[in-house]
Amino acid sequence: MSHSFGLVIESLVAVLLLVTIGYCTLLNRRLKRLKADEHSMRAMIAELITATEIAERAIGGLKVTVRECDENLGAQLAAGTTLSAKLAKQVTAGETILNRLTQIALAARPAGADVEAPAATVAAEQAAPAQNPSAQNMSNAKALLAAAQAFSERRRATGLAA
């Protein structure tokens, strides 16, 4: 019995040894796969680092571009504001001159023209709502131009023009 007991123990150790060898083989395969995955992960991490560096450089370039655009737009805005102020002054001066010319034209009308003018003005005012504002301004400007030319011709005819 001691002989068969030893044989059973020896057989059990041999089976356990075979199971251990099989398990070690399985672990070896898994470790090889893990090593291969590690190499691919290292390659992926290197690519990610490279992509991050490229993105950082691109962001730096974009910041410089935004700064340049901001400076350029600021300069253009300042120039536009200055030009707008100049135009506003010129428009005001033009309106002043237009008012003076209107006063001169009204003062230079003969007495008979004053009677006809209100009737024409009333008819023009009644027709004005049907027109758009730019057409009304254009007709007022043409009327003013005609009045100024007539005034100038009368002054030249009487010898009072400069």
Side-chain angles (χ1 to χ4, degrees), residues 1-154:
M1 173 148 184
S2 77
H3 185 61
S4 68
F5 183 68
L7 187 61
V8 170
I9 290 181
E10 290 288 327
S11 297
L12 185 62
V13 170
V15 169
L16 287 176
L17 186 59
L18 286 175
V19 170
T20 304
I21 291 173
Y23 188 69
C24 287
T25 306
L26 179 68
L27 282 178
N28 189 30
R29 282 188 209 143
R30 287 184 181 174
L31 284 173
K32 284 182 183 178
R33 269 192 279 152
L34 187 61
K35 284 282 186 177
D37 289 345
E38 179 186 1
H39 291 299
S40 67
M41 287 293 283
R42 285 184 190 268
M44 192 182 329
I45 290 171
E47 289 175 9
L48 184 61
I49 290 171
T50 303
T52 304
E53 290 172 353
I54 291 170
E56 286 175 354
R57 280 185 260 140
I59 289 171
L62 287 173
K63 285 181 180 179
V64 169
T65 303
V66 166
R67 196 173 310 121
E68 290 173 356
C69 287
D70 185 41
E71 291 171 359
N72 188 16
L73 288 176
Q76 287 181 356
L77 183 63
T81 303
T82 304
L83 182 61
S84 176
K86 286 181 182 178
L87 286 174
K89 288 179 183 177
Q90 289 177 354
V91 166
T92 304
E95 288 175 350
T96 304
I97 291 171
L98 183 64
N99 289 336
R100 286 182 184 170
L101 286 174
T102 304
Q103 290 173 356
I104 291 170
L106 291 175
R109 281 191 183 161
D114 287 339
V115 174
E116 296 172 10
T121 305
V122 169
E125 288 175 357
Q126 289 173 351
Q131 298 175 350
N132 62 12
S134 62
Q136 184 180 2
N137 290 340
M138 186 60 79
S139 66
N140 289 343
K142 287 180 181 178
L144 183 61
L145 176 64
Q149 288 174 344
F151 174 73
S152 176
E153 288 173 13
R154 279 194 301 268

